[in-house]
């Protein structure tokens, strides 16, 4: 990891895929940073001062200046450390636009319904949001085919912006599959995405920052159990 001479601190929470995005980007760039684990139930003074608007992690503090929102942070890292490690976004304006298009798709069409899987209280609701999440994978499979041009990643030969955004979800995909007993990313229906998930998991940077799937299963299962119990007690 390159010591850039800058003071770089990342406030995070271990289970957050948004935090893993930033960790993955910094690892891929080879930029060293200090990681600080936050307790979301008892946010530190530095946390609240640094992100008073959203009060969420990740927060990257670069030489004392906070940068918030994971996508903003990724783009900041790409620009602030442009000379360090490989770029995340392509140089060509059209290819950048395409990468940003799929980034927005991942956020709006995939992560929005998937987030609901962990916020609803009944098996029926969970199945419905899981179905909507799975339905968003078809166009994404086509997007991977278009962006990768026959290479391994959305970024082509290299791991790019969309790879980082989506890659950070892989431990949660595996955990969701284990909890539900169903394949979310089915190699029969989305062969490119299924192979891409294995490929990105094999990167040294991913191995260094991806959460342990057993730990995510325990954490996510706990959320679902608590929500279901709370709903049952109010009936
Ligand atoms: N849009 C934000 C989402 C970040 C987010 O939702 N972070 C969650 C953890 S996964 C959080 O900090 N929640 C605050 C809380 O639970 O109080 C981003 O991309 O950074």
């Amino acid at each position: 990891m390159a010591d850039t001479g800058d003071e770089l601190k990342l406030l995070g929470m271990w289970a957050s895929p948004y935090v893993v995005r930033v960790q993955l980007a910094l690892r891929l760039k080879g930029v060293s940073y200090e990681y600080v684990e936050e307790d979301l139930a008892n946010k530190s003074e530095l946390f609240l001062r640094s992100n008073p608007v959203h009060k969420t992690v990740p927060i990257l503090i670069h030489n004392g200046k906070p940068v918030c929102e994971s996508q903003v942070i990724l783009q900041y890292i790409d620009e602030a450390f442009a000379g360090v490690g490989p770029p995340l976004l392509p140089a060509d304006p059209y290819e950048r636009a395409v990468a940003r298009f799929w980034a927005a798709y991942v956020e709006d069409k995939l992560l929005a319904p998937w987030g609901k899987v962990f916020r609803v209280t009944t098996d029926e609701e969970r199945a419905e949001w899981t179905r909507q999440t799975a339905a968003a994978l078809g166009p994404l499979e086509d997007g991977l085919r278009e962006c990768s041009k026959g290479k391994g990643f959305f970024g082509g030969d290299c791991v790019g912006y969309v790879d980082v955004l989506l890659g950070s979800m892989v431990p949660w995909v595996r955990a969701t599959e284990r909890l539900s007993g169903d394949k979310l990313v089915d190699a029969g229906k989305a062969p490119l995405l299924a192979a891409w998930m294995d490929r990105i998991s094999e990167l040294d940077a991913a191995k260094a920052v991806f959460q342990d799937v057993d730990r995510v299963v325990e954490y996510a299962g706990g959320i679902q159990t608590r929500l279901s119990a709370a709903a049952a007690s109010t009936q």
Side-chain angles (χ1 to χ4, degrees):
M1 301 279 272
D3 184 355
T4 55
D6 298 84
E7 199 200 325
L8 211 54
K9 194 180 270 194
L10 175 63
L11 308 192
M13 195 280 275
W14 74 270
S16 170
Y18 300 101
V19 173
V20 171
R21 285 178 175 178
V22 178
Q23 291 176 297
L24 189 55
L26 290 168
R27 284 272 171 177
L28 287 164
K29 283 267 185 197
V31 174
S32 33
Y33 63 98
E34 180 196 350
Y35 177 78
V36 180
E37 178 75 7
E38 283 283 343
D39 175 0
L40 296 185
N42 185 19
K43 292 168 180 156
S44 71
E45 196 267 325
L46 177 62
F47 182 135
L48 294 170
R49 180 161 33 95
S50 304
N51 190 358
V53 175
H54 294 299
K55 301 183 181 67
T56 51
V57 286
I59 302 168
L60 185 71
I61 306 179
H62 185 197
N63 294 333
K65 292 186 288 187
V67 187
C68 304
E69 287 295 302
S70 60
Q71 290 212 42
V72 176
I73 298 172
L74 294 188
Q75 295 185 31
Y76 178 78
I77 291 170
D78 216 19
E79 290 169 9
F81 301 101
V84 190
L88 292 178
L89 279 161
D92 177 75
Y94 183 73
E95 287 180 15
R96 282 169 94 86
V98 172
R100 287 183 170 130
F101 172 87
W102 286 112
Y105 181 88
V106 165
E107 213 76 337
D108 300 341
K109 301 292 182 197
L110 194 71
L111 300 192
W114 192 17
K116 300 251 178 36
V117 174
F118 301 97
R119 290 194 196 100
V120 294
T121 53
T122 66
D123 288 344
E124 293 71 29
E125 287 172 306
R126 245 169 239 144
E128 174 53 22
W129 287 113
T130 304
R131 192 196 60 71
Q132 290 201 27
T133 307
L137 292 173
L140 196 59
E141 174 84 358
D142 296 338
L144 175 55
R145 186 175 299 105
E146 179 200 337
C147 294
S148 63
K149 303 188 180 85
K151 311 275 176 53
F153 298 100
F154 282 88
D157 275 326
C158 299
V159 179
Y161 189 59
V162 183
D163 296 292
V164 171
L165 287 186
L166 198 60
S168 65
M169 304 307 301
V170 170
W172 274 85
V173 172
R174 309 262 194 235
T176 308
E177 291 180 339
R178 223 182 274 175
L179 282 165
S180 71
D182 285 329
K183 273 273 174 221
L184 187 59
V185 180
D186 182 340
K189 291 184 190 142
L192 297 180
L193 281 170
W196 170 90
M197 287 218 309
D198 292 339
R199 196 173 299 120
I200 200 149
S201 304
E202 281 309 308
L203 298 174
D204 288 343
K207 286 183 187 162
V209 302
F210 277 8
Q211 303 98 332
D212 176 58
V213 175
D214 289 337
R215 199 175 170 204
V216 180
V217 167
E218 201 180 318
Y219 178 81
I223 295 175
Q224 289 184 342
T225 307
R226 275 197 302 281
L227 284 174
S228 300
S233 72
T234 57
Q235 276 171 6

